[in-house]
């Protein structure tokens, strides 16, 4: 049975992605900062018929937590097939460039950028033991510098000094990692599930968590001929689903 780890998976898009991967026959590690909450979520899922989902405590900002999660998965699976770096925070609002504190910006980057790097590096050796390793970094359309520079873009006015830049940095890291692993079976991509109605945005987005999760899975469980180092977005409406960087 193939295995997957999803960080930040005890609610919203991460949770729905765990459910859909379980339905596809994956053993899913549902990453949660609070193990008790994660285990309660798994219990509720089991009561609804979902199988092969286990809560694992992982705080992407704490190296010891990441290491413990890695040890659990290594002992139980011996490898990891899919890593979905989903955990993320928005940070304070508003996020003006002129007066948002360095501390607030660093807090967002610690989770959205440095946390992804820490988790990815920790699990890389387990992923290398898979025949079809996949790393999906969950990003946002707000990480696109090209779109942010386009006054006709529908989200042009949504600017922030912490969240968007943290996703731009994540996109850049994705490109570098994909290049480094290009001669291996790895597929490493940045995936924007689109503006989705979640707790993250007070359910203001037009998209559903079901559609967002399906989009993530579509561009994660890909074959050997699929692209790597790409930026897919559910909000791109030209049929390509590829966002400009």
């Amino acid at each position: 049975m193939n295995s997957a780890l999803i960080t930040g998976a005890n609610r919203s898009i991460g949770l729905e992605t765990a459910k859909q991967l379980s339905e596809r026959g994956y053993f899913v590690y549902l990453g949660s900062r609070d193990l008790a909450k994660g285990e309660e979520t798994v219990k509720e899922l089991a009561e609804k018929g979902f199988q092969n989902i286990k809560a694992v405590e992982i705080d992407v900002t704490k190296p010891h937590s990441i290491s413990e999660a890695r040890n659990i998965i290594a002992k139980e699976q011996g490898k990891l097939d899919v890593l979905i770096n989903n955990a993320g925070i928005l940070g304070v609002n508003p996020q003006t460039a002129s007066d948002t504190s360095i501390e607030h910006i660093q807090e967002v980057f610690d989770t959205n950028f440095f946390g992804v790097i820490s988790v990815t590096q920790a699990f890389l050796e387990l992923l290398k033991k898979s025949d079809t390793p996949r790393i999906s970094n969950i990003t946002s359309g707000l990480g696109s510098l090209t779109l942010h520079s386009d006054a006709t873009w529908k989200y042009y006015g949504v600017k922030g000094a912490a969240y968007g830049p943290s996703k731009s940095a994540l996109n850049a890291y994705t490109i570098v990692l994909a290049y480094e692993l290009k001669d291996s079976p790895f597929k490493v991509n940045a995936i924007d599930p689109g503006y989705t109605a979640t707790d993250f945005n007070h359910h203001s987005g037009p998209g559903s968590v079901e559609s967002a999760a399906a989009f993530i899975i579509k561009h994660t469980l890909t074959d050997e001929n699929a692209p790597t180092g790409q930026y897919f977005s559910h909000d791109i409406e030209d049929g390509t689903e590829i966002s400009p960087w």
Side-chain angles (χ1 to χ4, degrees):
M1 179 179 290
N2 286 342
S3 59
L5 167 64
I6 309 170
T7 62
N10 63 310
R11 61 177 182 171
S12 301
I13 296 174
L15 174 57
E16 180 60 29
T17 305
K19 291 162 63 176
Q20 293 188 22
L21 280 176
S22 171
E23 291 175 330
R24 286 172 172 260
Y26 276 72
F27 191 100
V28 181
Y29 287 93
L30 187 148
S32 175
R33 287 184 299 175
D34 186 320
L35 183 58
K37 289 183 179 179
E39 290 178 335
E40 180 62 29
T41 298
V42 170
K43 180 181 177 182
E44 293 172 359
L45 290 174
E47 291 172 352
K48 295 177 181 178
F50 289 95
Q51 300 179 339
N52 300 316
I53 301 178
K54 177 178 180 175
V56 61
E57 182 176 355
I58 182 167
D59 184 330
V60 304
T61 67
K62 297 179 179 179
H64 178 71
S65 173
I66 297 170
S67 178
E68 286 297 309
R70 183 205 175 281
N71 291 342
I72 290 171
I73 296 174
K75 181 178 179 181
E76 295 182 355
Q77 302 292 332
K79 66 179 177 68
L80 183 66
D81 299 284
V82 173
L83 172 61
I84 299 179
N85 287 306
N86 173 72
I89 61 173
L90 179 62
V92 298
N93 265 317
Q95 294 179 2
T96 58
S98 56
D99 58 13
T100 301
S101 71
I102 289 294
E103 289 76 18
H104 282 138
I105 295 175
Q106 286 178 331
E107 181 182 17
V108 174
F109 267 73
D110 280 344
T111 295
N112 297 1
F113 180 57
F114 295 114
V116 171
I117 296 173
S118 296
V119 171
T120 299
Q121 291 182 346
F123 282 89
L124 206 53
E125 287 306 312
L126 287 181
L127 286 160
K128 287 180 179 179
K129 295 179 180 180
S130 169
D131 293 332
T132 56
R134 299 290 183 266
I135 299 174
S136 292
N137 294 330
I138 307 309
T139 185
S140 167
L142 297 177
S144 170
L145 300 180
T146 299
L147 292 178
H148 265 304
S149 302
D150 180 359
T152 68
W153 184 42
K154 60 183 176 180
Y155 300 125
Y156 178 72
V158 185
K159 297 286 192 288
Y163 181 76
S166 74
K167 294 300 188 179
S168 298
L170 176 60
N171 290 349
Y173 175 74
T174 302
I175 291 174
V176 175
L177 181 62
Y179 178 80
E180 182 177 326
L181 298 171
K182 65 182 176 62
D183 295 323
S184 73
F186 275 85
K187 302 295 181 184
V188 183
N189 292 295
I191 304 177
D192 166 29
Y195 189 16
T196 305
T198 65
D199 296 340
F200 197 78
N201 54 40
H202 307 291
H203 295 271
S204 61
S208 68
V209 292
E210 292 82 5
S211 177
F215 186 82
I216 290 171
I217 291 173
K218 173 184 177 180
H219 291 291
T220 298
L221 304 187
T222 55
D223 63 30
E224 62 182 7
N225 298 315
T228 188
Q230 191 55 267
Y231 181 8
F232 297 104
S233 175
H234 207 7
D235 281 336
I236 296 298
E237 300 171 350
D238 63 3
T240 67
E241 299 183 335
I242 296 175
S243 175
W245 297 99

